[in-house]
Amino acid sequence: MANQGDQLRQWVRSRVEQTTREVLQERIEGARVLAVASGKGGVGKTSLTLNLSLALADRGQRVVVLDADLGLANINILLGYEPVYTLWDVVERHIPLRDTVQPGPKGIRIIPGGSGIAELARLDTVEISHIIEGFHELEGECDWLMIDTGAGLSEGVLAFVLAADETLVVTNPEPTALADAYGLIKAVWEQEGRVALKLVMNRVKSLDQGAKLGQRLTDLAQKALGQSVEFLGSIADDANVARAVMRQEPFYLAYPKSEATMAVGDMADRLLHRVPPPRRGGWGAFMKRLMDNWTIPGAINHQG
């Protein structure tokens, strides 16, 4: 059985590498792959992923959102719908990844995770390959792959973070949240990750407070680790965000003139107007890095 398992993993890896070569021949740069992560839960990571995706779509971008918070996926809850298929169906029932894609507001498309299914958080290499192999079918159909990762520092979270072109580290002014955000930055540094890190301060009392805390954290990362982290911006503690959650509607749509919506729009503009944007080969290269970074079990094995 062990030899069969090794042979299957070798076959899966060869398929991923072949797909990577084919995709890179067609699109040298490919779509931008952006992961959204946080050191702890409850800081607004999923909300930022969804609303930032809508802001990018508003600016003419084609966006696919991957709900990769494996086991606790909830983007569909924020939108008030129950998905027909999820990533769980891709793994267990071998449903094509394309069949899981759900239409979202403003033309965004969503690949739902499996909310409440604990096994999804413990996928092995062969199981995750069923998800990876489906990614290449969507290459060329979007400009952005937005990945809502889980909270914390699990191997699965770090695998997605390290495989992305860039990662938004979301935190808030609470001391524990700041400490956990630094822990995530340090974990990327320890793996010598080449992902471009950007910091977002959420639920700040004022933009001035957000800027000061953001600068403090990015300075600490640079001084203590030599890790460069760009401060992307802040989102004020806006009561409209909670109201939108209760309505199961993105605040970007429900309250288009709110402070939170304006802030997310500014972030979208900064991401789009950055020259040159960070790219590491599009979805094909992302797939290979994700496979390289996924381990069973043990430490992350970063391959660049």
Side-chain angles (χ1 to χ4, degrees), residues 45-301:
K45 167 183 58 63
T46 299
S47 178
L48 176 62
T49 305
L50 177 58
N51 287 280
L52 182 58
S53 297
L54 293 172
L56 288 168
D58 234 2
R59 287 154 176 78
Q61 301 295 293
R62 300 169 300 166
V63 182
V64 171
V65 180
L66 172 62
D67 195 342
D69 191 347
L70 303 181
L72 293 172
N74 55 17
I75 281 184
N76 60 295
I77 296 174
L78 292 181
L79 289 171
Y81 74 91
E82 188 67 28
V84 178
Y85 298 120
T86 71
L87 290 180
W88 177 249
D89 296 295
V90 177
V91 174
E92 281 295 291
R93 300 170 58 192
H94 294 196
I95 297 295
L97 184 70
R98 181 179 290 277
D99 289 353
T100 71
V101 177
Q102 304 287 313
K106 292 189 175 292
I108 70 171
R109 293 181 290 170
I110 300 162
I111 302 173
S115 181
I117 303 175
E119 289 82 357
L120 273 176
R122 298 192 293 271
L123 298 180
D124 65 21
T125 303
V126 174
E127 290 169 328
I128 199 68
S129 72
H130 293 304
I131 297 174
I132 293 173
E133 284 196 26
F135 284 171
H136 79 276
E137 296 181 9
L138 298 174
E139 176 72 23
E141 297 183 8
C142 76
D143 303 302
W144 292 79
L145 172 61
M146 304 285 289
I147 305 171
D148 180 30
T149 73
L153 299 176
S154 71
E155 291 177 0
V157 170
L158 285 176
F160 280 110
V161 166
L162 292 169
D165 298 331
E166 48 198 323
T167 291
L168 302 188
V169 179
V170 186
T171 187
N172 65 33
E174 296 176 5
T176 53
L178 292 169
D180 289 340
Y182 178 76
L184 176 58
I185 294 168
K186 183 178 179 182
V188 172
W189 171 77
E190 288 174 344
Q191 298 300 324
E192 300 180 357
R194 299 177 186 176
V195 56
L197 296 179
K198 297 175 174 59
L199 179 68
V200 174
M201 293 296 307
N202 195 21
R203 298 175 184 165
V204 297
K205 292 181 179 178
S206 67
L207 296 184
D208 183 60
Q209 181 200 40
K212 288 180 179 178
L213 290 174
Q215 190 66 52
R216 188 181 305 170
L217 187 54
T218 55
D219 285 349
L220 175 62
Q222 183 65 53
K223 182 177 180 180
L225 306 174
Q227 175 72 58
S228 177
V229 181
E230 177 187 348
F231 179 59
L232 186 64
S234 300
I235 302 175
D237 190 5
D238 188 339
N240 289 315
V241 174
R243 294 190 185 102
V245 170
M246 294 301 295
R247 291 174 51 174
Q248 292 186 291
E249 186 177 359
F251 64 75
Y252 188 86
L253 301 178
Y255 303 99
K257 298 185 182 299
S258 66
E259 285 188 78
T261 295
M262 296 298 105
V264 167
D266 288 343
M267 290 180 192
D269 289 334
R270 293 190 192 104
L271 289 171
L272 286 172
H273 297 155
R274 199 176 157 202
V275 180
R279 294 181 189 268
R280 300 168 69 197
W283 285 36
F286 165 75
M287 287 188 289
K288 183 177 186 303
R289 289 192 298 269
L290 183 59
M291 178 62 94
D292 288 342
N293 290 336
W294 207 280
T295 60
I296 352 174
I300 292 291
N301 178 27

